[in-house]
Amino acid sequence: MSDIPKYLWHHLAEEDVFEALKSNHHEGLSAQEVEERLSLFGENTISSQSPVSPVTRFLLQFHNPLIYILLVATTVTFFLQEYVDSGVIFGVVMINAIIGYLQEAKAEEAINSLKKMMSSSARVIRDGEKTTVPATQLVPGDIVQLASGDKVPADMRLFKNRDLQVDESALTGESVAAQKKRAALEKDTVLADRVNMAFAGTLVTYGSGMGVVSATGDDTETGKIAHMISETVSLDTPLTQKIHAFSRILLYVIMGLAAVTFVVGLMHGHDWVETFMAAVALAVAAIPEGLPAVITITLAIGVRRMAIRNAIVRKLPAVETLGSTTIICSDKTGTLTENQMTVQKVFAGDQEYYLTGSGYNPEGKVSKTDDEPLKELPEGLRTCLLAGLINNDSELIEEEGNWKVRGDPTEGALIASALKAKLDKNALFKDCKRLDAIPFESDRQYMATLHKYDDSNNVIVLKGSLERTLIRCRNAQDQNGNLIELDRHKVTEMADKFAAKGLRVLCFAIQKVPADEETFDRFRHEENAEQLTFVGLQAMMDPPRKEAIGAVETCQKAGIAVKMITGDHALTAQAIAQQIGIKTLDRDGEERRVLTGRELSEMSDHEILKAVETVSVFARVAPEQKLKLVTALQAKKHVVAMTGDGVNDAPALKKADIGVAMGIAGTEVAKEAADMVLTDDNFATIEGAVEEGRNVFDNLVKFITWILPTNLGQGMVIMVAVLLGTTLPVEPVQALWLNMTTAVFLGLMLAFEPREPGIMMRMPREPDSPILNTEIIVRIFSVSTLLLIGAFGLFQWALIQGENEEVARTLAVTLFVVVQSLFLFNCRSLTVSLFQTPAFSNLWVWGGVGAMLLAQLAFIYTPLMNLLFKSAPLGLYHWGIMLAYGLVVLVLVEIEKGIWRAHKAKQSKHQESG
């Protein structure tokens, strides 16, 4: 056999499947066939990518325009024989590289995690004998047995099925276990609806079955996801894109100014060596050596703050990315919802009831709709809840304060609903001992159990779909447990009402039989056998997280669109979206339609690009379609955050600008593909992360606004000196002192600035917008010009006063320090007045100014520093002049901020009136 054709296995008839796979459902494969196929298809494992070596990963930390600038500065200062300065700058480069390496050193382990999802062993039939083999040795055509508790070892087409139910939530997003069938399906059936297939890595929760392996390893649905993850290109974050662009512009400007300085100096007849050194001094002065380090440290501070708020960031730039997010694409199951089925409505005794609480926690109240909790349980309601409790093969367990279901999620919800009504499970199980059972089968659509009732009677309890259960009923119970006429129309209406809200409805009925009837031998299975008494409906759903409702509202107020992308059914997805508050109405108030995976598969790329802007809820979506939706939104220039917890979310998590995985319920695959992991699985944590991300970006802009006037001012001072043919007011080594000390002691303190009021009330930044807007650019040039005037003027004044060059240069350098120290307070808010900003909300600023003052005093007054940096002591009146000039700059900046505020207020008023 040379190859096995690629078929749509769910679409073929069973006999065609066996023929295509050249297998036999009685004998299985022979040992020789297994050996041949193993050599042809390889082991049933998922291929791994070659990992990036630690050395390569470390070297990639230097692949950044800003780092190039620092390396140029290192080289230049080395050739200037300023070895200490060269070493300091190179030290900054190394610190940046080490921090980045440590943050990203954890290898991408998504594919390895997918490997772990494969079952360790499998029960197969080979050569007509039942045997157990390692799952890695499975090949297409193998006959595999499945039973409750098994992890499916490979993709397979089912040909035997006894009440088989499989939890596929990690793969499809479906919150309820899939009930498997054997019949062939339509060719275009989406992955989540392929009920005649079992997929690798999913979990059998109930029943048993047999299947023939159709795909192994990389060819399984799980393997395809692994392939998508490996092929998905992780995009640069908006911050890294903007910093790269900003750094390139800065590099060109600095090199251009240095070149102009050199050419103009030669045109003035200056010595070329002296002119070249002046150009080098300009370049060194204008390079913001502290910028990469401060950016890294600011992001690291954001990481620490997010960790306190239950968000673990795996990649530094991801901190800021959430702040620039325009759309959050969220999975439903386990992210916006509890991932625990919960009974919310009960219809019993001709009365509707409401149950509080969520998940499997048995704490909650039972009440008539919109009424106070019931003080006494009506007999009709008690019978309905009792039916759900004893017609049940599952159990609830409490582990570390969390309630979980052992068995079927639907049955777990029924147990919880009965316990909320204070039914005594242990006593009832003892009194209502089970005698016999008819397991659930998809063809019958019901499960029946037979129990002891009293000395005269036993009781049959039937649980199933409305259609298959109601047709078997002849009467009903009222609130007091008395028999009444069955109103089929009202029951059907009530079930439709529940279903319209996205609730899954189960119907319950009972029949008393003589005490000697202890088996189902006399039970009539015909649909027209009207022998039962209808006792009620229980309607359940995987409920939305309460905290997610507020988080979605806050995000939408902040201008961030929230879209639900789920593998669950359309009706359920729409109901959850409405409950959570995801905007499902268009501008005209019309309900936006839910787009399904089948509809997406029939749409062109152009149609998808149009749909992603208008549709808020996508249901029955396959993993590759999630990836396509994220890609389409990015093509529309959106910054996309994708949240999820399942294997099916992993490719989209990696492709998104920021992937956010759930830490508790999330699969390892999702966590490794994500940029950030929420340790509390709380969608509301994303709101805090967005807030923190916006604050990180604000603080970075504040730092850039603060640092650039220092570099630009120094460059302008040196350029003007060359143009005028005068002595340089700032030596290269002094420029390095200024750049490094002020960045660390002053600029870095802005990273600790708290969030400004209203940070979540403003719209997201436009993805294409530059880091610095017009207002900030004007401020940078204004302050740079003031620094030029002050430093150059003070230098020339000192020389006129008869001071030596060392004193004059020390004055110029110290003026930069004084002005930048005061300008730091201006930069604590780029829009709000300094006098309206709480003075002590950031004590780090005061500490930084104090540290900078001590460092500058050492620079001026200690002999060693005088020798190293060619500085000299200053008099008290020098300090008075510099402080006065600094205060003038501070006031002028505040006046400029006021002018901009007035201009914006006028624009806003004009827009409102227009």
Side-chain angles (χ1 to χ4, degrees), residues 279-578:
V280 168
L282 185 149
V284 171
I287 291 172
E289 287 87 357
L291 184 56
V294 171
I295 288 175
T296 302
I297 293 168
T298 302
L299 292 172
I301 291 168
V303 167
R304 183 178 59 80
R305 286 177 172 173
M306 284 191 175
I308 294 171
R309 301 178 78 163
N310 299 314
I312 304 299
V313 177
R314 297 182 62 235
K315 299 173 185 175
L316 274 182
V319 178
E320 183 277 334
T321 307
L322 264 175
S324 57
T325 297
T326 58
I327 287 180
I328 297 176
C329 294
S330 179
D331 182 42
K332 178 187 74 67
T333 306
T335 307
L336 292 168
T337 65
E338 300 277 1
N339 198 18
Q340 295 185 344
M341 295 300 288
T342 305
V343 174
Q344 295 187 336
K345 298 277 189 178
V346 176
F347 177 70
D350 208 32
Q351 177 67 51
E352 184 179 352
Y353 298 93
Y354 177 72
L355 279 73
T356 62
S358 63
Y360 301 128
N361 191 330
E363 297 296 322
K365 302 292 183 183
V366 183
S367 63
K368 290 185 179 180
T369 306
D370 300 326
D371 275 358
E372 290 293 320
L374 295 173
K375 294 179 180 177
E376 189 176 335
L377 203 63
E379 184 60 29
L381 175 59
R382 182 183 181 279
T383 304
C384 181
L385 295 176
L386 173 63
L389 180 64
I390 62 176
N391 182 296
N392 203 305
D393 289 326
S394 302
E395 62 177 316
L396 294 184
I397 53 174
E398 186 179 12
E399 292 181 355
E400 299 178 355
N402 294 317
W403 286 87
K404 299 179 181 179
V405 63
R406 183 177 292 159
D408 182 67
T410 300
E411 292 191 333
L414 296 174
I415 297 172
S417 69
L419 296 181
K420 288 174 186 177
K422 309 304 179 187
L423 295 187
D424 189 333
K425 179 185 174 185
N426 294 329
L428 289 170
F429 269 54
K430 185 178 179 181
D431 294 341
C432 303
K433 179 184 176 183
R434 184 185 293 190
L435 303 172
D436 198 7
I438 300 173
F440 179 91
E441 284 191 8
S442 53
D443 293 337
R444 282 198 298 264
Q445 290 289 304
Y446 69 78
M447 170 183 175
T449 53
L450 179 61
H451 303 265
K452 288 290 292 181
Y453 185 70
D454 55 31
D455 293 338
S456 305
N457 297 289
N458 292 334
V459 65
I460 292 171
V461 180
L462 191 137
K463 167 187 72 185
S465 66
L466 179 74
E467 297 79 8
R468 297 291 182 89
T469 305
L470 196 61
I471 199 171
R472 290 177 165 82
C473 297
R474 62 181 175 185
N475 51 27
Q477 273 191 355
D478 65 10
Q479 287 191 64
N480 301 316
N482 300 317
L483 295 179
I484 58 172
E485 184 180 349
L486 174 62
D487 188 340
R488 298 178 189 277
H489 179 70
K490 184 172 184 178
V491 173
T492 304
E493 264 191 352
M494 189 61 65
D496 290 343
K497 173 185 171 183
F498 292 157
K501 295 179 179 178
L503 298 170
R504 185 183 182 210
V505 181
L506 284 178
C507 185
F508 295 86
I510 65 171
Q511 179 190 357
K512 290 182 181 179
V513 295
D516 61 351
E517 194 171 316
E518 297 186 347
T519 68
F520 276 110
D521 292 343
R522 284 180 274 173
F523 183 74
R524 295 170 63 193
H525 290 278
E526 309 91 76
E527 287 194 352
N528 61 355
E530 295 184 358
Q531 57 194 21
L532 304 174
T533 298
F534 169 77
V535 295
L537 306 172
Q538 292 198 49
M540 65 191 71
M541 76 183 318
D542 180 13
R545 293 176 178 269
K546 290 180 181 178
E547 57 273 21
I549 297 172
V552 168
E553 182 183 8
T554 301
C555 287
Q556 290 178 159
K557 283 182 179 177
I560 302 168
V562 180
K563 295 182 184 289
M564 181 192 292
I565 303 178
T566 178
D568 216 335
H569 293 281
L571 195 61
T572 305
Q574 187 171 35
I576 291 290
Q578 289 172 343

Side-chain angles (χ1 to χ4, degrees), residues 801-819:
Q801 294 297 314
E803 302 283 5
N804 59 36
E805 288 184 1
E806 285 76 13
V807 171
R809 286 194 175 113
T810 304
L811 270 171
V813 170
T814 307
L815 181 78
F816 271 94
V817 172
V818 171
V819 171

Side-chain angles (χ1 to χ4, degrees), residues 81-98:
Q81 298 184 352
E82 300 291 347
Y83 301 121
V84 173
D85 304 310
S86 180
V88 168
I89 300 172
F90 188 67
V92 170
V93 173
M94 291 302 294
I95 289 169
N96 277 319
I98 290 168

